[in-house]
Amino acid sequence: MEFEPVIGVEIHVELKTKSKIFSGAPCTFGEEPNSQTVLFDWAFPGTLPILNKEAVSYAIKICTALRMKVDHTLYFDRKNYFYPDLPKGYQITQQFRPIGTDGEVVLQVGGKERRIGVEQAHLEEDTAKQVHLNDISLVNFNRCGTPLLEIVSRPDMRSGEEAMKYVEAIREIVTYLGVSDGKMENGSMRCDINISLRPKGTEKFGTKCECKNLNTIQNIRAAVDYEIQRQGRILSEGGAVEQETRRYDEAQKKTVLMRKKTDAVDYKYFREPNIVPIDLDDDFVYDAVHSMNKLPDAYRRELRQRGLDEYQIEELLKDRDFVLFYEGCLNLSVQSPTNLWNLLMVEILGYLNKAEKKLSDLPFTKEQLVELSDLLSQGKINSRQGKEVLQAMMEEGRDPLQVVKERGMEQISDDGEVEKVVAEVLAANAQSVADWKRGKDRALGYLVGQAMKLSKGKVNPSLAKEKILEKIGPCGSER
C-alpha cells in the first residue's frame, strides 16, 4: 500500500522588541542568568501585565506579510499548567481569538508553485529556560515574558523538503521585516512539526507524531524524512503508529522518543482577567502595515528585472544586509548588475568570511564599489586587475581610480593601439599563425597571451582576440 505524508508546522517566533510583552524588563540574549527581569516575570503577588504595543505592531506586520486577516480586537487567555519554567502557573496566550487567521505562504518546490495554508498566528509570552546538568536543573528567567508569535500552518505539506522550505520562507519574512533575528541556533525561532501518514487517495488523517524543538533548517528536512520512513515501515508491516512526542538526534540521524501521548492535556483555558479586550485603532494598524520593510518576493521581482539569474538572486537574499548594500549600489546607476554581484558575492563575501568581518566593516563606500564595477564593465581594466584593485580597497580603503592610475592598469581599448600590438605579435609568431590555419585551435590562446605579454597586461584581451581573428581568418582554413 502506498502512503501519503501529512505535515503541519508550528513555529514560535521571538519578536525583537526592546522589552517583554507584559513587563518592562529588557529583551536580551546572552546576559547573566536572571539579570534581565522585573517582579512581574517572577510572578510576585500584586504585579499586573501591561501589553507591549511594539509587539502588537510586529505581529500585525507578520500577519500582513502572510496574507492573514488581522483581528482589530485583542483578547488574551490563560493556559494553565504547572512547570518549573512557568512561575505564574499559567501562560498568557490567545487561544480563542488569535490576532491573525487564514493566510498562506507560496513556495517554489521542484520548479512548481505550492501554496501552504496558515491557519492562525497568536501572541503569547515565552517561558523561562531550563538548563539540565548531570544531577541538577537550573532555571534562567531572562527569557520569561519575551514576546512570541506562534504561527500554525495547515496540514498542507507532503515532504521534508516542503516543510524545510516553509520554515525557510517564514524565517526570511520575519528577518526582512526586522521583527525577529530568526536565529534558530539561539532559540529565537523554534519549530515543532506534526507528521502522520494515510493511505494515498484517502482524506482521513493518520495518527500523528510530533517532532519537538528542531533548531536548524537542515534538521527539519532530515527529521521529517526519517519520520516518514519510520511510520511507513510500521504501517507496511501491519503495525499501528502510536501518538508520540519525539526529538531529532543529530548524531544518530534519526528521531527518538521523548514521551508517549495519550489523552489531550486539559489546560483549562479561560479569559485572562487582568487584560481587558483591546480595540486596535485603525491608524495604529495602518501605521504598522505601511511601515513594513520590503519583503523578499518584492526583491526577487526587481532583481529578475535587473538580469540576475535564480541562483544569484537566492544567494543574495540569504542576507538582508547584502541585499540592501546591493540595492544601494544599483541606485547609483551601476552599468552591469552582474559584475557588481560577482564583486560583492564572490570577492567581498569571501574576504569578509576569511577575515571574520561584517559588511559594515568595509573601508570603502558604495560609490567606490560602483566605480570599480564600471571600470570592469567598460573594459578599462581586466578581471585580474579588478581583483587587485578590490584587494587594495578592502585592505587599505583605497579609491579604485587612484589605484588604477598609480599602478598603470588602465587597459588599451583603442582600436588603433590594439591593432599595432596585434600586428607586432603576428609578425613575431608566424609559426603559431601557420598552426592555426592548419587547424590547431590552441594557437589562438597563445597569440592572445603574447599580446597581453607585449602590452604588459594592458591590452583589452577580448578586443585583441577579435583583431587577431580578423587578420588570421578561421581555424583550419589551409588544411
Side-chain angles (χ1 to χ4, degrees), residues 4 34 79 93 104 129 132 168 205 236 244 256 271 307 368 395 406 426 446 456 458:
E4 176 185 52
N34 299 318
K79 179 181 181 180
T93 183
E104 69 173 6
K129 182 178 180 180
H132 302 290
E168 278 185 323
F205 293 158
S236 296
E244 299 170 343
V256 296
R271 188 76 71 217
Q368 289 172 319
E395 293 181 353
E406 288 174 8
L426 296 181
Y446 175 78
K456 296 180 180 179
K458 290 186 178 182

Side-chain angles (χ1 to χ4, degrees), residues 266-411:
D266 182 4
Y267 291 111
K268 295 183 170 57
Y269 289 100
F270 60 84
R271 188 76 71 217
E272 168 56 54
N274 291 323
I275 304 177
V276 298
I278 300 170
D279 291 324
L280 299 179
D281 183 80
D282 288 344
D283 290 339
F284 177 82
V285 177
Y286 179 91
D287 290 343
V289 172
H290 287 82
S291 61
M292 290 169 60
N293 295 334
K294 191 187 297 184
L295 292 170
D297 282 348
Y299 282 114
R300 284 187 174 91
R301 289 191 294 271
E302 292 174 8
L303 293 171
R304 286 190 194 103
Q305 291 171 359
R306 292 284 191 167
L308 297 190
D309 61 33
E310 292 304 311
Y311 170 79
Q312 291 170 326
I313 292 170
E314 294 309 315
E315 286 298 303
L316 186 60
L317 287 175
K318 286 180 179 178
D319 191 320
R320 183 170 179 264
D321 289 340
F322 276 77
V323 176
L324 295 178
F325 190 92
Y326 185 83
E327 183 181 47
C329 292
L330 290 179
N331 292 337
L332 296 170
S333 301
V334 70
Q335 292 179 8
S336 171
T338 301
N339 277 345
L340 175 64
W341 187 93
N342 286 329
L343 288 170
L344 181 61
M345 298 304 296
V346 178
E347 305 300 333
I348 293 176
L349 179 59
Y351 166 79
L352 293 175
N353 288 339
K354 186 175 180 180
E356 297 183 349
K357 292 184 177 181
K358 299 178 181 178
L359 195 58
S360 57
D361 296 327
L362 290 175
F364 57 84
T365 64
K366 296 181 183 72
E367 287 80 3
Q368 289 172 319
L369 183 60
V370 168
E371 282 181 0
L372 174 60
S373 179
D374 288 349
L375 286 171
L376 289 163
S377 301
Q378 294 160 8
K380 292 183 177 179
I381 58 174
N382 59 38
S383 59
R384 179 185 60 78
Q385 293 170 324
K387 291 179 182 179
E388 186 179 335
V389 174
L390 183 59
Q391 194 73 18
M393 292 168 63
M394 292 188 293
E395 293 181 353
E396 305 166 28
R398 301 289 305 281
D399 181 80
L401 292 175
Q402 285 183 339
V403 176
V404 169
K405 185 176 180 181
E406 288 174 8
R407 302 185 186 183
M409 289 180 170
E410 190 160 355
Q411 284 193 139

Side-chain angles (χ1 to χ4, degrees), residues 58 65 81 131 153 169 272 277 289 303 371 384 441 445 448:
Y58 284 2
Y81 65 98
V131 180
S153 82
E272 168 56 54
V289 172
L303 293 171
E371 282 181 0
R384 179 185 60 78
D441 57 5
V448 174

Side-chain angles (χ1 to χ4, degrees), residues 132-192:
H132 302 290
L133 305 178
N134 288 336
D135 57 353
I136 192 173
S137 291
L138 305 176
V139 185
N140 180 0
F141 285 89
N142 283 352
R143 194 180 71 182
C144 186
T146 297
L148 293 178
L149 188 72
E150 181 173 354
I151 302 167
V152 182
S153 82
R154 298 192 188 281
D156 292 345
M157 287 156 272
R158 298 291 179 263
S159 69
E161 183 180 10
E162 288 186 3
M164 178 188 71
K165 285 185 175 292
Y166 172 80
V167 176
E168 278 185 323
I170 298 291
R171 184 172 68 174
E172 197 177 61
I173 287 169
V174 300
T175 54
Y176 271 72
L177 287 174
V179 300
S180 175
D181 61 25
K183 293 180 179 178
M184 298 181 72
E185 66 276 13
N186 290 346
S188 53
M189 186 169 137
R190 312 190 288 276
C191 73
D192 305 330

